[in-house]
Each structure stands twice: as C-alpha cells, then as structure tokens.
Amino acid sequence: MEMECKELYNIPIFKKNMSTFKETSYDKDGEEPGYMTDSQIQVINFDKVKDGYIKNLALSNTPCSNDALYFGKDNKIFFVEFKNGVLDERPRRNFNICKKIYDSLLIFNDIVNKNISFCRENLYFILVYNENKNKREACKTEQEESSKAIISKKIHKKAKKKFIRFGLDRFEKLYFKEVFTYTESEFEDAFLSQISD
C-alpha cells in the first residue's frame, strides 16, 4: 500500500499543482484578507486540481473543493480546508464545507481511480478555523452554541479524546479514517509540528 500512495502523489495533475500550506490558506474573500498559516510545507493545491479537472467539461456550475491535499508519512493522505470566517456549530448551517468535502472526494476518487473504501482507510480531513472569529457571537442562541462547544472541548481534552466541531464528526469512519477540527494554533502544534522535518 505504501508504494501505491507514493504513486498517487506523482499523478500529473497533482504534480502540476504543487503549492504550500501558506499559499493554500490564503483568504482573499474575507473581511480581513490574509494567510492562516506561514507553513512552507509542500502540498497540492486542490482548488487548482479541481479547476484542471473540470477545464474541458463545459459545466454550468463549478464544483467546490478543499484547499489542500497533503501526502504524509505512513500512507496518510490529508485533505485540509481553511476557514477564516465565522462557522456555525449546527451541521445544517455548514453546507459549503460539506459540499467541498463531497465534491473533493468525488474528484479525488476519479483522478486516482479509487473508491470510498480506500478513502476510509487512508484519507484524513482537517478543518482549520479562525479561533477569534468563532468566539464572536451575535445573538443568544449562537452564544449558547459557542458555550457548549467550549465546555465540550474541555471535557474531551480531560478525557484525552478528540473533539470534532461543526458537525463534521459525521464524516469520520464513513468517508475519512479520521476528522480533525483545529484552530490555527492547534494546527501548528498538533499537525504541522509533527510533519516538519
């Protein structure tokens, strides 16, 4: 399997769209454009992969895609999505993130000629979100949701269990081996520091 994952990394459309975590984390559409990480670790810009994939399909609607695809050690493949805006704890409110996951999985599987079983065994999903923007609440309901998330996160940490926010836990074991939701600093500490040489 290890050789197989290394071969996937060398697929031409992937090699053609190399980038860095920093570049793929850039938010040009938000209130405060900027990067969510300064990491120069090489990744595949999956937004550009998607653009290349659909180039000759003459679609009326463009599919969505995750920001980065990273081939790690031990045959681990990571989709990484950077979200600089405010997110909702209620799963139905995060339609865009879910659409990116579904569209990216379909495109990835078609390119690598694999199925969901392969993804369940080898793919991981990471959502990196802006901690400060997700502390700001506009109304009581959102404040309650945020408070629940903070309390749940602390309980999970004490129990040494992973806490998955924004309803994304439903993708774990079904489409991905594991799902992680990290603040920018958690992404640096829990992920980037582990993969840096």
Side-chain angles (χ1 to χ4, degrees), residues 7-45:
E7 289 170 3
L8 297 182
Y9 178 79
N10 289 313
I11 290 174
I13 196 169
F14 292 161
K15 295 301 275 183
K16 184 179 176 184
N17 292 294
M18 296 304 295
S19 187
T20 63
F21 271 124
K22 180 178 180 176
E23 291 301 318
T24 59
S25 78
Y26 186 70
D27 174 25
K28 65 181 182 300
D29 301 322
E31 297 169 15
E32 304 159 23
Y35 299 96
M36 293 186 71
T37 180
D38 289 322
S39 174
Q40 293 299 314
I41 292 172
Q42 290 288 296
V43 297
I44 295 160
N45 183 325

Side-chain angles (χ1 to χ4, degrees), residues 39-55:
S39 174
Q40 293 299 314
I41 292 172
Q42 290 288 296
V43 297
I44 295 160
N45 183 325
F46 207 74
D47 284 327
K48 289 186 177 176
V49 168
K50 178 252 312 179
D51 291 342
Y53 177 83
I54 66 168
K55 187 177 178 182

Side-chain angles (χ1 to χ4, degrees), residues 93-110:
R93 298 288 178 101
N94 292 315
F95 175 77
N96 185 258
I97 296 171
C98 296
K99 182 154 175 39
K100 285 183 177 204
I101 289 171
Y102 291 129
D103 288 355
S104 295
L105 282 171
L106 289 170
I107 292 168
F108 174 82
N109 284 341
D110 192 33

Side-chain angles (χ1 to χ4, degrees), residues 52-111:
Y53 177 83
I54 66 168
K55 187 177 178 182
N56 297 317
L57 296 181
L59 303 176
S60 56
N61 292 310
T62 303
C64 297
S65 55
N66 293 314
D67 295 313
L69 181 65
Y70 174 74
F71 285 82
K73 297 173 186 169
D74 304 323
N75 300 315
K76 293 180 178 178
I77 305 168
F78 297 85
F79 266 127
V80 181
E81 175 64 20
F82 295 96
K83 277 295 185 192
N84 197 27
V86 178
L87 298 168
D88 199 308
E89 289 296 337
R90 295 166 287 191
R92 290 184 184 167
R93 298 288 178 101
N94 292 315
F95 175 77
N96 185 258
I97 296 171
C98 296
K99 182 154 175 39
K100 285 183 177 204
I101 289 171
Y102 291 129
D103 288 355
S104 295
L105 282 171
L106 289 170
I107 292 168
F108 174 82
N109 284 341
D110 192 33
I111 290 170

